[in-house]
Amino acid sequence: MNKQRTQDYKQRIDQALAKPKLQEALHKFGDAYLVSRANAFAGLDFEALRREIGAMKDEVRDNREQLLAQFMDNARTTGAIVHLAKTAEDANDYIADLAQKRGVKTVAKSKSMASEEIHLNDALAKVGVKAVETDLGEWIIQLAGQRPSHMVMPAIHMFKEEVAELFGKVTGNSEPAEIAHLVRVAREQLRQTYFDAEMGITGANIAVAETGGIALVTNEGNARLAATLPKIHVALVGIEKLVPTLEDAAKVIRVLPKNATGQFLTSYVTWITGAVPCGEGEKELHIVLLDNGRSTLAESPHCRDALRCIRCGACANVCPVYQTVGGHVFGHIYIGAIGIILTAFFHGLDKAAEIVRACIGCRACVAICPSHIDLEGIILHLRSVIGEEEGIGAAKSIVFKKVMRNRKLFHSLVRAASLLQKPVSKGERTIRHLPAYFSSFTEWRTLPTIAAKPLRDLLPQVPQKVDQPRYRVAFFGGCGNDFIYPEMGLDLVRVLNRLGVAVYYPEEQNCCGIPALYSGDRETAVELAEQNVKALLAENPDYVVTTCPTCTMALRRDFVEHLKDNPAWARQAEALAEKTLDVSAFIHNVLEERIPAGTASESETVTYHDSCHLRRGAGVWQEPRALLEDAGYQLKEMARADRCCGFGGSYSFTSHPPISREITKDKVNDIAASGAAVVAMDCPGCLIMLRGALEKRGLPVRAAHTIELLAERLDRD
Amino acid sequence: MSSADLLQAFREAAIRVGAQVKFFSQAQEAAAYISDQAGGLILVPPSPALERLDLAGALRKRGCDLASRDFRVVAPQAPAGVSGANFAIADTGTIVLESTDEATRLATTLPERHFVLLDPRKIVADGLAAIPWVRRLQQRRPRSFLAYISGPSRTADIERVLTIGVHGPCELHILLLDGLSDDFLEN
């Protein structure tokens, strides 16, 4: 690992966290965005639309050479001059050279992320050409000497007072910090630029192979002017913008503004095909098609789905990490989840190495992506690539490679730790303060202790109170349930026994491998997958149940992926995946049972926190709510129930505790605001985080796993 | 959808994105509206439908100051531009305007007010239904500039506050006029 780079990165995080105003703005935007987006998609089947876009974009990827040739032919037929640029340098050289040849002094630019990607303005400046950004947000950051912090709203990190100051320097007057006035100033100041500029540069949202034309999706009207007034028009287009037909273009346009900003459609969609009239003659239209790593991305089996991206920026809008630190930390040129991936391919792995670890893994981006990209899956892959290139750090490496893979050693060390913690736990179930070096761990949350006896020791001693079981299920405890909250596992046995299900605990089961995988150690994750598939299927259970949705994702998704090329294990991994589910889903969907309220007279209020991997990994969210309501709990929904709690495993302990802390604070605020007495969830990880944070804040809200709340109802019968 | 439903959906969507939508049965009424609202020099680019109507004549009679050429020179001083429309899209309240001729582009991008006359029979349901017409327009003129216009120019780039009228028109007036033209290929 590169120490200086990591240090600089951590410093950027601290600087961002010191700006609560930025966080507040991004949070407000995130909330408002979801409301307008839901309105824009009302009555439409988002899942169907995004599958359609994903499939269309895959077709483009598979036929990219033919479609590119078709686009170039058609564009040339209509008088465009087409240049295919392999690299950023190539594109910059072409455009700068053209500007020089034509004696261009000023360029009117409309917003183009591709031009940011290649640092086109710098390349033009080097040959004495002044590029003026005309998009309001781009102009603001150009004046400020910054880079965009969002793909769609480049100046989202700036406030009107800062804008007023920047504009004041341009006009020489003191400009009031009123937004309508500032917009007016921009209109007046930039108007002459379109007339003066000898060249207009735009990007393109879509390139249509069928026609050789482009489409620009914009709101301000500057792209129309930049494409109309100057004699020369250069359109810089990433080759991933290709679509086969006009109908395909319409499908992208149907989704893009809705998912980007919650608009039904932008103010303008401009379709330009060929060299159109300009002044007394015709426009000189150059289309520069930019590869710059896109073909390499197309060849990467693990990452190529990222080429489906239509650049809506939604993955940032909903990202709790982005909302906490903004795009200048969580991004390079492209920001947010897609930014991590594009950075790796367009700017190099080194530029992506820090931000690839910044993802907390909540999959909010995956759920909102209009192109159906498993962004988190690709980020995890890149993390393991970087882990292999740079190492994952000596401490983690020893833990994963030497300890976790050896189950007996791992478990005996955990048992030893349960004894070693006694001086700080003082025999209690939570640790409120840790000494010296570790004190930051308990600054804003208490930590649970490791239980005196793990579930694997306790469970075999519990008699199975079920005569003729409907099913016999293997219980995958996962580390949290096994070593931290063993009582939760006993509750599961009691509830399932009551519903006629026998439960056993395969002793050879080991960690699900997610901590290793999320830290970039895929090798250990694969080794653990083999161990667990073997252990869990050994006695041929009817089902495998868990209390941890992250483990469920490992068993259902990752094991299959890890072992798919291994003939000995592939089919078994698939068999395990089919049998595995979270306990709430098992009770509700397989057993089709409920735990009745019993004699409960008073109705306890419960608010439900959706664990990321349960809601967006397993698609389970109605089931636990239904079980709790059937059991007589009164459900009081909190705001943003499905937003991450900030845990993210080692994310909150070692890699990004300061970001975790902020995300957890948001969640605790939402829980408190719900007014419920209990916050229920289906994940031991979330429980560690929320129980600890609620306790440290001294809030009288109890945090509990759904299975614990259901088990309590049995006591009342 | 029936044509009445399309018209209703279009009107609602156009108003939602901030357009003014007015109904007229006579060209004279439309001219009166433009004359009242224009606020100065009006750019009138060539348009077969508007010429048939002699909209320019009607505006001149009302004492309006018109320009029909040299837009690059006069446009910066003109507060208004007038155009027809090829057709419209109901679900997003969008005007589709073939703007390949530079005069049409200048008249509809530079002034603060854009008046667009549309025949209510020329409305399609949604973006996909528009595509066959887009294709025909592009095939007819392979070098073309086609504009979808939904409401006035807007930005939310400062503190995400929606603000109308940044670089394009601050006002979009859609004048629905019966009997204007049923030809999607002309504007």
Side-chain angles (χ1 to χ4, degrees):
Chain A
M1 296 212 275
N2 183 326
K3 281 202 173 140
Q4 186 59 47
R5 190 190 64 202
T6 305
Q7 229 170 15
D8 293 347
Y9 167 68
K10 295 213 156 142
Q11 203 178 350
R12 285 202 298 279
I13 293 178
D14 291 342
Q15 283 164 357
L17 291 178
K19 292 178 202 152
K21 217 175 143 192
L22 170 69
Q23 285 188 39
E24 195 193 318
L26 295 176
H27 280 63
K28 269 192 194 161
F29 164 65
D31 286 348
Y33 161 74
L34 287 178
V35 174
S36 21
R37 178 184 176 275
N39 185 34
F41 275 112
L44 293 173
D45 182 348
F46 178 66
E47 286 303 320
L49 291 174
R50 69 178 184 159
R51 273 171 210 284
E52 197 174 23
I53 288 184
M56 183 267 287
K57 285 287 201 170
D58 287 353
E59 184 196 324
V60 171
R61 185 195 67 220
D62 292 344
N63 303 318
R64 61 188 181 280
E65 281 175 22
Q66 177 235 319
L67 286 167
L68 199 59
Q70 187 190 355
F71 175 84
M72 294 188 348
D73 278 353
N74 285 329
R76 283 176 180 139
T77 306
T78 56
I81 301 151
V82 186
H83 178 74
L84 180 58
K86 272 279 158 212
T87 63
E89 200 186 8
D90 181 357
N92 282 332
D93 287 349
Y94 180 85
I95 299 169
D97 191 44
L98 175 69
Q100 272 188 308
K101 272 192 211 149
R102 300 288 188 273
V104 173
K105 299 271 179 296
T106 306
V107 167
K109 265 189 83 207
S110 79
K111 191 174 158 331
S112 154
M113 280 308 294
S115 76
E116 296 282 350
E117 173 189 332
I118 64 173
H119 303 285
L120 176 60
N121 291 359
D122 294 342
L124 289 170
K126 273 190 197 136
V127 295
V129 176
K130 186 178 162 204
V132 180
E133 296 287 352
T134 60
D135 173 85
L136 177 58
E138 289 281 346
W139 192 48
I140 293 169
I141 58 164
Q142 185 179 38
L143 293 176
Q146 298 182 1
R147 66 173 172 85
S149 76
H150 190 283
M151 293 202 291
V152 178
M153 287 153 290
I156 194 169
H157 60 286
M158 295 191 68
F159 295 90
K160 56 181 187 287
E161 292 76 15
E162 298 165 277
V163 177
E165 205 180 313
L166 289 169
F167 284 11
K169 282 182 195 155
V170 175
T171 61
N173 302 320
S174 157
E175 300 295 345
E178 289 158 16
I179 293 172
H181 169 76
L182 295 169
V183 169
R184 192 79 210 169
V185 169
R187 181 183 177 103
E188 285 162 6
Q189 289 298 319
L190 290 168
R191 183 50 60 116
Q192 193 56 38
T193 304
Y194 304 111
F195 288 92
D196 294 344
E198 302 88 352
M199 176 187 278
I201 298 182
T202 71
N205 297 86
I206 303 166
V208 188
E210 175 194 347
T211 62
I214 59 168
L216 292 158
V217 179
T218 68
N219 273 314
E220 295 187 359
N222 59 318
R224 284 155 39 94
L225 292 166
T228 294
L229 288 161
K231 178 84 181 75
I232 306 165
H233 175 196
V234 177
L236 178 64
V237 189
I239 54 173
E240 82 288 0
K241 298 286 175 68
L242 265 180
V243 302
T245 66
L246 287 167
E247 279 79 6
D248 297 318
K251 287 172 189 170
V252 173
I253 292 165
R254 180 168 58 180
V255 168
L256 177 58
K258 294 184 178 71
N259 219 56
T261 55
Q263 287 179 276
F264 285 78
L265 188 61
T266 44
S267 296
Y268 306 109
V269 176
T270 305
W271 305 80
I272 300 172
T273 309
V276 292
C278 180
E280 299 304 307
E282 69 176 24
K283 180 80 74 183
E284 183 177 336
L285 172 65
H286 295 257
I287 300 176
V288 180
L289 295 160
L290 181 67
D291 188 319
N292 197 34
R294 288 158 175 83
S295 292
T296 314
L297 183 51
E299 297 297 336
S300 162
H302 286 106
C303 304
R304 63 187 187 187
D305 287 357
L307 278 177
R308 295 175 184 163
C309 174
I310 58 171
R311 306 284 189 273
C312 70
C315 51
N317 299 353
V318 298
C319 172
V321 176
Y322 176 82
Q323 289 175 358
T324 304
V325 295
H328 285 161
V329 177
F330 195 32
H332 177 58
I333 302 294
Y334 294 98
I335 54 98
I338 191 69
I340 297 172
I341 305 163
L342 299 183
T343 299
F345 282 86
F346 299 172
H347 298 105
L349 215 47
D350 178 61
K351 296 279 193 295
E354 299 298 338
I355 51 176
V356 84
R357 284 184 261 270
C359 166
I360 198 169
C362 76
R363 298 179 68 77
C365 54
V366 180
I368 207 102
C369 176
S371 308
H372 210 245
I373 306 170
D374 183 359
L375 294 146
E376 191 226 0
I378 299 174
I379 290 167
L380 278 181
H381 172 78
L382 286 174
R383 205 178 283 173
S384 71
V385 171
I386 289 168
E388 280 157 27
E389 292 250 323
E390 300 193 345
I392 57 169
K396 275 188 177 176
S397 183
I398 290 169
V399 172
F400 295 137
K401 294 194 194 315
K402 303 285 182 214
V403 178
M404 273 197 172
R405 291 196 207 179
N406 182 336
R407 184 186 69 77
K408 285 188 177 155
L409 174 62
F410 172 39
H411 288 168
S412 65
L413 285 176
V414 178
R415 286 167 201 269
S418 100
L419 296 174
L420 288 172
Q421 70 195 354
K422 285 211 166 140
V424 285
S425 71
K426 305 180 177 75
E428 303 216 3
R429 289 301 305 275
T430 57
I431 302 173
R432 286 159 193 279
H433 304 283
L434 280 169
Y437 180 75
F438 298 103
S439 64
S440 67
F441 283 3
T442 51
E443 215 173 88
W444 47 282
R445 58 175 164 180
T446 64
L447 286 174
T449 56
I450 295 164
K453 271 199 170 186
L455 181 63
R456 58 181 58 241
D457 292 356
L458 295 172
L459 203 141
Q461 295 164 16
V462 178
Q464 295 285 309
K465 294 179 190 157
V466 47
D467 292 337
Q468 286 177 315
R470 293 164 67 182
Y471 297 113
R472 195 165 153 276
V473 304
F475 181 12
F476 184 81
C479 304
N481 200 155
D482 198 349
F483 295 101
I484 294 174
Y485 298 129
E487 64 279 7
M488 186 192 293
L490 300 181
D491 284 339
L492 177 141
V493 174
R494 288 173 58 220
V495 171
L496 290 189
N497 278 183
R498 176 68 62 94
L499 300 173
V501 176
V503 182
Y504 72 101
Y505 201 87
E507 207 202 340
E508 299 294 316
Q509 64 179 277
N510 198 348
C511 171
C512 70
I514 288 273
L517 188 68
Y518 277 45
S519 299
D521 179 3
R522 187 168 181 277
E523 208 182 304
T524 296
V526 174
E527 163 74 31
L528 291 170
E530 285 181 15
Q531 289 183 21
N532 282 313
V533 171
K534 191 175 165 196
L536 293 169
L537 292 181
E539 292 182 47
N540 194 26
D542 295 316
Y543 288 94
V544 176
V545 295
T546 75
T547 52
C548 173
T550 304
C551 297
T552 308
M553 269 191 79
L555 270 59
R556 281 169 48 146
R557 179 193 72 174
D558 299 336
F559 288 8
V560 174
E561 170 64 25
H562 294 338
L563 303 174
K564 71 174 181 213
D565 297 324
N566 183 329
W569 293 102
R571 281 188 57 190
Q572 294 198 59
E574 278 170 26
L576 175 62
E578 278 168 28
K579 285 185 180 190
T580 303
L581 65 177
D582 284 276
V583 67
S584 288
F586 178 66
I587 297 171
H588 191 270
N589 300 342
V590 177
L591 301 179
E592 297 183 1
E593 290 277 6
R594 53 197 276 272
I595 301 295
T599 55
S601 50
E602 84 280 28
S603 172
E604 209 171 359
T605 53
V606 171
T607 191
Y608 189 79
H609 161 66
D610 289 289
S611 301
C612 300
H613 292 166
L614 190 68
R615 171 129 196 184
R616 291 179 287 273
V620 172
W621 56 283
Q622 289 161 313
E623 292 86 343
R625 285 177 169 84
L627 289 173
L628 288 166
E629 285 196 301
D630 284 345
Y633 293 96
Q634 190 197 329
L635 206 58
K636 280 174 97 170
E637 291 288 350
M638 70 177 98
R640 298 165 280 262
D642 65 349
R643 192 173 190 262
C644 179
C645 72
F647 181 63
S650 61
Y651 193 92
S652 68
F653 288 108
T654 53
S655 81
H656 293 80
I659 296 179
S660 273
R661 175 194 185 134
E662 295 302 316
I663 299 173
T664 304
K665 188 171 78 188
D666 295 338
K667 176 56 71 174
V668 169
N669 288 341
D670 286 336
I671 293 169
S674 78
V678 181
V679 54
M681 64 209 77
D682 279 57
C683 172
C686 300
L687 198 56
I688 291 174
M689 200 65 177
L690 294 178
R691 209 173 252 179
L694 287 162
E695 189 173 49
K696 200 78 180 186
R697 285 260 295 262
L699 291 170
V701 183
R702 180 185 163 211
H705 195 288
T706 299
I707 199 73
E708 295 178 302
L709 296 173
L710 296 180
E712 282 167 25
R713 286 301 189 238
L714 301 180
D715 300 333
R716 300 201 191 192
D717 285 4
Chain B
M1 264 203 276
S2 75
S3 58
D5 289 344
L6 286 173
L7 180 58
Q8 175 66 9
F10 169 75
R11 182 178 166 271
E12 280 173 16
I15 290 170
R16 192 174 59 212
V17 291
Q20 313 266 347
V21 183
K22 306 288 168 193
F23 290 88
F24 300 102
S25 53
Q26 302 290 328
Q28 292 302 326
E29 297 169 15
Y33 178 85
I34 296 169
S35 159
D36 286 349
Q37 305 274 335
L41 181 63
I42 306 172
L43 305 183
V44 187
S47 153
L50 301 192
E51 280 152 28
R52 269 204 308 278
L53 213 62
D54 192 24
L55 184 73
L59 288 169
R60 267 197 205 93
K61 261 186 213 149
R62 296 188 164 270
C64 292
D65 197 4
L66 305 188
S68 55
R69 55 200 194 94
D70 299 329
F71 285 175
R72 280 182 179 253
V73 180
V74 298
Q77 287 79 49
V82 181
S83 77
N86 290 78
F87 63 101
I89 304 172
D91 73 337
T92 49
T94 302
I95 292 291
V96 180
L97 176 62
E98 209 242 65
S99 327
T100 308
D101 293 331
E102 189 182 82
T104 306
R105 264 180 286 150
L106 297 175
T108 57
T109 55
L110 288 166
E112 299 217 346
R113 282 174 208 99
H114 176 196
F115 297 90
V116 54
L117 282 87
L118 169 71
D119 188 306
R121 289 170 296 177
K122 296 204 290 183
I123 301 175
V124 300
D126 55 32
L128 275 174
I131 291 300
W133 292 110
V134 168
R135 183 174 281 117
R136 284 190 61 181
L137 286 164
Q138 291 190 344
Q139 281 169 347
R140 197 186 52 164
R141 288 183 85 169
R143 299 176 181 207
S144 73
F145 190 112
L146 229 124
Y148 282 13
I149 302 169
S150 311
S153 151
R154 66 191 59 222
T155 184
D157 272 354
I158 304 176
E159 296 191 10
R160 301 144 314 281
V161 175
L162 176 65
T163 312
I164 295 301
V166 52
H167 295 293
C170 309
E171 295 172 20
L172 179 70
H173 300 260
I174 300 171
L175 281 50
L176 287 149
L177 183 61
D178 290 323
L180 181 62
S181 161
D182 62 358
D183 182 357
F184 281 53
L185 299 182
E186 75 164 14
N187 62 50

